[in-house]
Amino acid sequence: HQMTDKSNIKYYLEKFNLSDPWDIVDLFEKKISSYLGSKYAVSVDCCTHGIFLCLKYFKTKDVINIPENTYISLPNVINMAGYKFQFQDIDWDGDYQLYPLPIIDSACKFTKNMYKKDTYTCLSFHHRKQLPIGRGGMILTDDLQAYEWLKMARYDGRHLDRKYDDDNFEMPGYHMYLTPEQACIGLDRLEKLDDKGNSIGSSKTYKSLLKYNKLFNQE
């Protein structure tokens, strides 16, 4: 029997004695951070936007080094965030770093206690990934300041402790949040997860993007 979105939300509110559907999103974040080994997790609507928000948080002039064999959304989002990048011949399996920043694209890796200390690790919950909820992602971090900024940035720059009419906006934000409906699916799938520790993508499973440099005005 397929639960509807409303009955799903009602089930989790009652099961964990929660008062607000957004508490389900918080619960999903806590369960993911606990499972993967980070202090904090910030849910977003997709891994690509998680990477975008991390790039906006760092605000550096660094040129980002990325594998030439990866998914096209990565150069797209680096470009969108206002950075320059260089494609490199990098052999990777499951995850890789957006060097020199401590941002990890872990769209293809999801396994218990995998979080690497002092990184900003971005996850994907796309329907083909290990924890499929349709669309969604998460940023793992141990950095409280980043956690607080990312929570607001992904939700239109809103403060999370007050109603919209009472809010006094202090930063520009982005409409990149995960919904309670998706968090319910995530909680259900996490409970049933068969974690084999396998990555589902590598430099061998993605074609080279080197010839697309001109799309992004890269040298």
Side-chain angles (χ1 to χ4, degrees):
H1 174 64
Q2 188 70 36
M3 293 178 84
T4 64
D5 285 346
K6 278 186 179 174
S7 67
N8 230 344
I9 286 174
K10 185 168 181 284
Y11 169 78
Y12 281 105
L13 288 175
E14 289 174 356
K15 180 175 179 177
F16 293 99
N17 196 25
L18 304 173
S19 58
D20 186 293
W22 291 104
D23 293 338
I24 299 171
V25 178
D26 289 337
L27 176 66
F28 183 41
E29 291 173 342
K30 286 183 173 67
K31 287 198 174 285
I32 291 287
S33 62
S34 173
Y35 188 82
L36 298 179
S38 63
K39 281 187 189 171
Y40 310 108
V42 179
S43 58
V44 285
D45 59 351
C46 64
C47 182
T48 299
H49 286 161
I51 291 168
F52 172 81
L53 292 172
C54 289
L55 288 167
K56 297 305 275 189
Y57 177 72
F58 278 101
K59 294 181 189 159
T60 76
K61 300 291 184 196
D62 289 324
V63 175
I64 311 296
N65 293 319
I66 60 171
E68 63 179 85
N69 298 83
T70 187
Y71 184 58
I72 188 66
S73 76
L74 188 69
N76 275 331
V77 81
I78 293 171
N79 189 58
M80 187 170 86
Y83 284 77
K84 288 287 186 185
F85 65 86
Q86 290 177 336
F87 284 125
Q88 298 206 323
D89 182 10
I90 297 170
D91 190 30
W92 63 274
D93 185 20
D95 62 0
Y96 55 81
Q97 182 179 349
L98 278 67
Y99 189 82
L101 297 179
I103 300 169
I104 307 290
D105 179 354
S106 189
C108 296
K109 182 178 179 182
F110 187 99
T111 193
K112 195 161 180 60
N113 295 323
M114 73 174 199
Y115 176 71
K116 297 183 185 82
K117 192 171 163 47
D118 299 325
T119 66
Y120 303 74
T121 297
C122 300
L123 311 173
S124 173
F125 303 139
H126 183 268
H127 69 85
R128 285 200 300 269
K129 301 295 167 51
Q130 293 97 325
L131 193 73
I133 68 173
R135 179 180 169 87
M138 206 151 313
I139 306 161
L140 307 176
T141 180
D142 284 343
D143 179 346
L144 178 60
Q145 186 180 333
Y147 169 72
E148 290 175 342
W149 186 89
L150 291 163
K151 290 270 276 191
M152 290 177 65
R154 58 97 195 256
Y155 195 36
D156 302 309
R158 291 178 58 180
H159 292 88
L160 306 179
D161 61 352
R162 63 201 76 167
K163 293 191 181 300
Y164 181 75
D165 287 348
D166 301 325
D167 209 339
N168 183 27
F169 308 111
E170 298 168 14
M171 61 181 274
Y174 305 91
H175 203 68
M176 297 178 173
Y177 60 83
L178 188 78
T179 65
E181 290 84 354
Q182 289 165 308
C184 286
I185 299 170
L187 287 167
D188 180 59
R189 299 273 157 88
L190 187 60
E191 244 175 62
K192 299 169 181 169
L193 180 67
D194 180 15
D195 186 350
K196 296 184 172 71
N198 299 335
S199 80
I200 55 167
S202 71
S203 48
K204 293 176 178 59
T205 57
Y206 287 92
K207 69 179 183 180
S208 171
L209 301 176
L210 204 51
K211 69 178 183 180
Y212 298 108
N213 258 339
K214 58 184 180 293
L215 280 181
F216 305 100
N217 298 316
Q218 301 293 320
E219 294 307 320

